[in-house]
Every structure is written in C-alpha cells, then in structure tokens.
C-alpha cells in the first residue's frame, strides 16, 4: 500500500511538473511510468498504462526523447521500439539540458555577430543604438557561455556550492 501511494505521489508530481512547463499532464505520466520500470516498455505498453491513445503517447515520447528525458531502445529481433526514462537527473541536466543551453548560446552569439556585421557601415542614430545593444548582448552572451562551460566541465554540486558561497560573501560583505 505504501509503495503504490509513493508512486502515485511521484506520478502526480511529474504530471504537475509537465503542466508548469505548459505541457499536457500526459508527458509527466509517461515519464513517471517509465521512471518506475526496470525494463524498457513498448509504445503500446505505455499507452495502456497511461490510458492515452497510441498517437498521443507517440507524439509525447518524441518530445521527451528530444528533451533527453526518455531513451528509445531497439531489442534484437524485435521491430518495435522500447522506451526507458533517464533516471539520473544529474546526468540529464549535464548531457541534455546544459548542452541544449550551450547550443542556444552559441547560436545567439552567431546571430548577434551577423547582425553586428549587417550594420557595420552604418552611422545613423538607430544603427549606433542597435550596435550598442548588440555589443551589450554579446558581453552577456560571453558570460553565459563561460558559466555553461563551467557547469559542463565540473561537478554541478561543487559549482553550485562555490557559487553560493561567493554570492553570500559578496552580498553580505564578508569572507569566510
């Protein structure tokens, strides 16, 4: 009875998390079903356990796979795809989340540089303002790039601990 209650609490948590991110609760329920399984499940098994249609589950699995929360697996001699949840959230954040942010930051830098190049020969007041905004955005982008690089190259807990200590010292005006 306690195990089932604990699973229900976590399934509701995953569903609420999906809702907070603007997704259907289905995404949370799928992740929850896979999270508690030791073996990968087929699309049909996931649909049966969640009570949603195959097409809804298939669409949701594609997004969850793209986010790095679910992994598709092929079994030898079986044409069906099976799915498993990424259960080590620390690894997920490092491999999926931070890498996606890193890619977005890289693309942002490239766009900013192209925009800056597009106005390099212009001296209008509007071009000067735009150039200042782009240069400011490039500075912020460089800082973000450095922070993401630190998270990717080091243990997240250690980075957060050091960051928190530095911020507390800075904001409190003390050194420990």
């Amino acid at each position: 009875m306690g195990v089932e209650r604990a699973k229900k609490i976590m399934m509701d948590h995953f569903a609420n998390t999906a809702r907070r991110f603007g997704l259907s609760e289905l995404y949370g329920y799928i992740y929850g079903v896979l999270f508690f399984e030791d073996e990968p499940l087929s699309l049909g098994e996931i649909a049966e356990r969640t009570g949603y249609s195959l097409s809804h589950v298939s669409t949701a699995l594609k997004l969850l796979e793209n986010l790095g929360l679910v992994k598709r697996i092929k079994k030898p001699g079986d044409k069906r795809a099976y799915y498993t949840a990424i259960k080590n959230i620390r690894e997920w954040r490092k491999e999926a989340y931070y890498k996606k942010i890193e890619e977005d930051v890289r693309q942002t830098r490239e766009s900013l540089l192209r925009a800056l190049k597009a106005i390099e020969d212009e001296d209008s007041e509007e071009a000067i303002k735009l150039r200042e905004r782009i240069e400011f955005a490039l500075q912020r982008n460089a800082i973000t790039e450095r922070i993401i690089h630190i998270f990717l190259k080091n243990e997240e807990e250690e980075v957060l601990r050091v960051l928190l200590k530095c911020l507390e010292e800075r904001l409190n005006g003390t050194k420990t």
Side-chain angles (χ1 to χ4, degrees):
M1 186 71 138
V3 168
E4 289 308 311
R5 175 78 180 123
K7 285 183 177 181
K8 171 85 171 98
I9 290 169
M10 291 309 300
M11 292 289 287
D12 289 342
H13 167 75
F14 293 138
N16 287 330
T17 299
R19 281 189 211 104
R20 279 193 300 277
F21 284 97
L23 300 171
S24 161
E25 64 189 22
L26 168 62
Y27 293 85
Y29 287 133
I30 290 172
Y31 182 79
V33 163
L34 294 172
F35 184 83
F36 291 113
E37 286 297 320
D38 292 330
E39 295 296 321
L41 297 177
S42 70
L43 176 66
E45 292 169 320
I46 298 166
E48 184 180 310
R49 293 199 189 177
T50 61
Y52 287 88
S53 71
L54 287 171
S55 64
H56 281 100
V57 171
S58 176
T59 300
L61 282 166
K62 287 175 187 167
L63 177 67
L64 291 170
E65 190 176 3
N66 285 337
L67 292 174
L69 289 169
V70 168
K71 184 176 180 182
R72 181 192 320 227
I73 296 169
K74 292 295 251 175
K75 292 184 178 181
D78 193 340
K79 293 181 180 181
R80 294 182 296 175
Y82 291 83
Y83 299 87
T84 187
I86 302 302
K87 297 173 184 170
N88 183 337
I89 297 300
R90 182 187 321 162
E91 266 315 296
W92 171 79
R93 279 195 308 259
K94 193 168 194 171
E95 292 302 316
Y97 183 70
Y98 291 135
K99 289 208 185 248
K100 285 188 188 302
I101 293 173
E102 181 182 45
E103 177 62 18
D104 182 65
V105 169
R106 185 191 62 71
Q107 288 179 8
T108 299
R109 177 179 21 88
E110 289 174 4
S111 294
L112 289 167
L113 289 171
R114 281 196 318 272
L116 198 57
K117 178 115 176 102
I119 59 170
E120 70 183 348
D121 295 331
E122 292 191 35
D123 291 328
S124 69
E125 186 175 323
E126 185 178 12
I128 291 168
K129 283 182 187 178
L130 185 55
R131 192 175 297 113
E132 288 173 1
R133 288 180 184 159
I134 292 171
E135 288 170 351
F136 177 78
L138 278 167
Q139 290 170 1
R140 291 296 171 121
N141 187 271
I143 291 168
T144 304
E145 217 166 6
R146 289 173 53 203
I147 290 169
I148 294 300
H149 181 76
I150 289 168
F151 273 101
L152 284 169
K153 300 299 178 201
N154 298 282
E155 284 298 316
E156 182 182 38
E157 288 78 15
E158 180 63 19
V159 172
L160 291 173
R161 198 172 13 263
V162 169
L163 182 60
L164 184 59
K165 182 180 177 188
C166 289
L167 287 170
E168 287 172 340
E169 287 175 0
R170 175 75 182 236
L171 295 174
N172 295 329
T174 62
K175 297 211 179 203
T176 56

